[in-house]
Amino acid sequence: MSEPSQSAPEFTIWVVSDGRRGIENQALGLAEAVTRAVGTPTRIQRVTVRKDGFVTLPAASHPDLWIGCGRAAVKVARKHRGIFPDTFFVYVQDPRGRYDMFDLIVAPDHDRLARENVLTMTGSPNRITRAQLDEARAHFATRIDALPAPRAAVLIGGASKRFRITPEIGAYLEQRIAGLVERGLGVMVTVSRRTPDDVRKSLADRFGEDPRVWFFDGEGENPYFAFLAAADWIFVTEESTNMMLEAAATGRPVYRLAMAGKPGKFSRLHAALEARGSVRPFLGELDSWTAPPLAETDRIARALLERWHPDNPQ
């Protein structure tokens, strides 16, 4: 196991994924949390696995800590272990049977994965920090301050293995946004690459020119973190665990918006977030409440360091 020397100027973390934002950000969020916790200058390098399996390794780089997420990372992990035998290998999520390839696995509680080399957490790691939110809010202040206050952010995902946005759900989301506008709120809406084109178009047609609404359709600079920072309430479609966890990390009231489908194991995540007071299903009434920001990423980063350097915990 490689240990960065106390006299060394930095150590290196590789973040390995297929490059998709929702996958990479889990490993990247954990890497950034380790950097905050370790108290040593750190170099984070992204390593992207292409669809054909080809990987370009960073030049003249040796990872002290390897953090991967997604199936693509699993496929290259064994080869990288052979090249860097003294590196500490961490995988985020369930590697589906490849448990022996990693020194540590960080898995969601709702996966119910129990092994000696597994740490579990509520949901998955994310990149949310107070400093990041404040910076994003300041960057987009002119546009946000032009909206009425108080304000709500509406985060819309799309189809997943268990959920989908049907025409009926699309109409439901449109009605919910309209209801917030009618209440006098400024509304910040963002859709994702998974949002169906017909739903995206319908929302754009109705709200795209409304001065009370900022509708972001993916074109231009992304205000996602600014939306989280500026919102008094956050609404999230229930299929997106990443967006729900990021919203819960702000400490703001978070409402879960229904989708078509069955949550399966994700009902355990919804229940855990509701039990801690972070998230509620939206039933039409707008309430205010407080909950401690979800800080699982930092907790897991500290636990990772204790496993990596058990004789020198941070």
Side-chain angles (χ1 to χ4, degrees), residues 5 9 20 40 43 49 55 60 72 86 103 106 138 151 161 165 184 193 213 221 259 314:
S5 168
R20 285 180 294 166
T40 301
R43 176 174 54 174
V49 184
V55 184
D86 57 345
D103 298 295
V106 176
R151 303 182 180 97
K161 290 181 179 180
I165 297 183
R193 288 173 292 182
V213 179
E221 195 173 7
M259 296 273 279
Q314 301 297 322

Side-chain angles (χ1 to χ4, degrees), residues 143-219:
R143 180 72 184 272
I144 291 172
D145 291 344
L147 297 171
R151 303 182 180 97
V154 182
L155 317 178
I156 299 175
S160 67
K161 290 181 179 180
R162 294 186 174 275
F163 293 100
R164 64 191 186 281
I165 297 183
T166 62
E168 292 77 16
I169 292 296
Y172 158 81
L173 294 173
E174 188 173 323
Q175 292 166 6
R176 291 308 194 195
I177 295 170
L180 297 174
V181 174
E182 291 166 4
R183 282 183 164 98
L185 274 63
V187 183
M188 302 166 288
V189 182
T190 180
V191 293
S192 79
R193 288 173 292 182
R194 296 181 294 108
T195 306
D197 289 341
D198 58 338
V199 173
R200 184 192 304 262
K201 183 178 184 306
S202 181
L203 293 173
D205 289 346
R206 181 159 182 181
F207 301 111
E209 301 301 323
D210 192 320
R212 300 164 295 180
V213 179
W214 182 355
F215 178 75
F216 179 69
D217 64 356
E219 296 295 326

Side-chain angles (χ1 to χ4, degrees), residues 101-171:
M101 289 198 305
F102 304 99
D103 298 295
L104 185 66
I105 296 165
V106 176
D109 288 332
H110 59 262
D111 276 352
R112 294 181 173 175
L113 187 60
R115 300 182 68 88
E116 186 177 349
N117 63 334
V118 171
L119 293 175
T120 64
M121 64 183 295
T122 300
S124 53
N126 63 68
R127 302 183 65 193
I128 299 297
T129 65
R130 186 72 257 166
Q132 180 189 52
L133 294 175
D134 290 344
E135 181 180 354
R137 174 68 174 83
H139 184 70
F140 290 97
T142 300
R143 180 72 184 272
I144 291 172
D145 291 344
L147 297 171
R151 303 182 180 97
V154 182
L155 317 178
I156 299 175
S160 67
K161 290 181 179 180
R162 294 186 174 275
F163 293 100
R164 64 191 186 281
I165 297 183
T166 62
E168 292 77 16
I169 292 296

Side-chain angles (χ1 to χ4, degrees), residues 11 28 53 85 101 113 169 239 276 295 307:
F11 72 92
L28 186 57
M101 289 198 305
L113 187 60
I169 292 296
E239 96 296 341
R276 74 184 307 275
R307 293 286 188 103

Side-chain angles (χ1 to χ4, degrees), residues 49-78:
V49 184
R50 298 191 329 199
K51 289 184 178 180
D52 61 5
F54 184 80
V55 184
T56 300
L57 301 184
S61 176
H62 184 295
D64 299 287
L65 177 61
W66 186 105
I67 303 177
C69 186
R71 293 180 180 178
V74 174
K75 291 179 180 179
V76 301
R78 193 176 298 280

